[in-house]
Amino acid sequence: MAEPILKWAGGKRQLLDPLYARFPASYDRYHEPFVGGGALFFDLEPDAGTINDANPRLVSLYETVRDDPDALIERLESFDDPESDPDPTLPYADTTQRGRDVDNYYYQQRARFNDRPYTGEFDPIEEAALLVYLNRTCYNGLYRENADGGFNVPIGRYADPDWVKRDRIRRASDALAAVDVHGRDFEYVLEAADPGDLVYFDPPYEPMSTTADFTEYSADGFDRSDQARLLDVASELDERGVSVILSNSGVMYEPYADAGFNVDTVGATRAINSDGDGRDEVDEVIATTVSEAEWSGDGQRSLSTFDGD
Ligand SMILES: C[S@@+](CC[C@H](N)C(=O)[O-])C[C@H]1O[C@@H](n2cnc3c(N)ncnc32)[C@H](O)[C@@H]1O
């Protein structure tokens, strides 16, 4: 069983059992159009299918993990403690692309990670290593970008951060080798999925209220029109004989029920909440086109092995 490489907002560890319970007893290929940290994908390790995300740096990381895990591990091993001094042999030892002072090694690496949005240049292995490093050393494992696409999460406080995670990268590499990786809008799945396949959609959640905004995954928002577009895509897949499972916030209960999906509310503890200092219980829904008679019914795994980091 593989595990996620990154902490990612909206990670689905806590929902794996109810999600698996709704899987059809058999299906052909598996598709995950909003893969994010890939909690379900890495746990499932499907034999064939596709994964996709609109975040280009995340997709590039997965391609690097699949194609060159050893080079990635080697690069990760070369990084220093986030609180140490900037490395004078590397770019941005004094100031960032935007002329901001660089205080320590973490902020230097953050500036290097932001080469793609600010200069258009990037080295895929370096960028992938920086994404993993920053994810493991930044505040609360958040991923957040400013309006220019610059990753802007401050340094975190960890006694002994482990950013190398060799075994996870090697296992993830094997899981990724079995599927096609795309970096497109979720609608690609209309071309990719065939009758008999299974699609799991885990979009940015529609906010429950203005104070519960879980939609900031990248500079591009995912708004109500995208939620409506997703519902249309899910319905079209259903008509073509593709099985569909979706998760979303509780406010989507009615739209999914009205579209004829089988919907249940599940209370899930979010891995990363909006203020970062606790774990809030929020309502989530799981909707599916799979009729209850076809559910596999059993959770295929135990949650106890996940160490939460
Ligand atoms: C809720 S997160 C997925 C979390 C994932 N299930 C996990 O376990 O970590 C939603 C993902 O959708 C991606 N996204 C946002 N808009 C998108 C779009 N139009 N098409 C595809 N992916 C999109 C975001 O980059 C983000 O990674």
Side-chain angles (χ1 to χ4, degrees), residues 2-3 10 23 57 97 115 120 187 194 205 210 243 264-265:
E3 287 175 283
F23 272 40
R57 296 194 280 192
Q97 295 91 339
D115 260 344
E187 281 201 41
D194 294 320
Y205 278 15
T210 48
S243 298
D264 287 300
T265 302

Side-chain angles (χ1 to χ4, degrees), residues 98-256:
R98 301 205 294 179
R100 303 256 163 84
D101 285 347
V102 169
D103 302 333
N104 58 28
Y105 188 83
Y106 173 87
Y107 287 102
Q108 179 185 30
Q109 306 325 305
R110 194 177 80 172
R112 295 177 64 229
F113 179 63
N114 283 333
D115 260 344
R116 180 166 2 181
Y118 290 133
T119 71
E121 315 251 313
F122 73 106
D123 163 357
I125 292 184
E126 193 70 49
E127 189 191 69
L130 287 164
L131 174 51
V132 175
Y133 175 79
L134 294 171
N135 183 260
R136 291 281 159 190
T137 55
C138 75
Y139 177 74
N140 223 12
L142 283 173
Y143 188 90
R144 189 185 61 206
E145 295 177 351
N146 63 27
D148 298 327
F151 175 80
N152 64 4
V153 180
I155 189 169
R157 297 274 168 249
Y158 301 93
D160 191 14
D162 172 12
W163 56 80
V164 182
K165 302 269 180 200
R166 293 171 194 80
D167 294 343
R168 280 194 194 208
I169 289 173
R170 294 211 172 92
R171 283 199 300 267
S173 183
D174 292 341
L176 288 161
V179 295
D180 294 331
V181 180
H182 298 293
R184 296 165 60 186
D185 177 73
F186 66 87
E187 281 201 41
Y188 85 97
V189 75
L190 286 174
E191 293 160 38
D194 294 320
D197 287 357
L198 170 64
V199 179
Y200 169 48
F201 290 110
D202 182 26
Y205 278 15
E206 180 64 14
M208 298 291 281
S209 70
T210 48
T211 54
D213 184 357
F214 296 121
T215 61
E216 280 186 37
Y217 293 95
S218 71
D220 326 308
F222 193 85
D223 61 22
R224 277 174 184 266
S225 68
D226 294 309
Q227 296 286 359
R229 200 161 57 86
L230 172 57
L231 191 48
D232 288 345
V233 168
S235 300
E236 188 170 336
L237 291 170
D238 179 37
E239 279 162 29
R240 293 192 201 166
V242 177
S243 298
V244 176
I245 301 177
L246 306 104
S247 43
N248 212 318
S249 69
V251 291
M252 293 304 289
Y253 189 103
E254 280 191 28
Y256 292 150

Side-chain angles (χ1 to χ4, degrees), residues 8-20:
W8 204 252
K12 279 294 150 319
R13 277 272 155 190
Q14 295 82 356
L15 285 191
L16 291 185
D17 282 345
L19 287 169
Y20 278 138

Side-chain angles (χ1 to χ4, degrees), residues 245-309:
I245 301 177
L246 306 104
S247 43
N248 212 318
S249 69
V251 291
M252 293 304 289
Y253 189 103
E254 280 191 28
Y256 292 150
D258 289 349
F261 290 61
N262 189 327
V263 194
D264 287 300
T265 302
V266 285
T269 307
R270 302 199 68 85
I272 298 171
N273 74 1
S274 50
D275 58 11
D277 64 1
R279 293 184 167 221
D280 291 344
E281 194 80 4
V282 293
D283 271 355
E284 305 193 61
V285 295
I286 301 179
T288 181
T289 62
V290 182
S291 67
E292 211 163 335
E294 294 171 75
W295 290 8
S296 69
D298 49 6
Q300 296 177 9
R301 62 184 301 286
S302 140
L303 290 170
S304 59
T305 52
F306 184 55
D307 62 10
D309 70 348

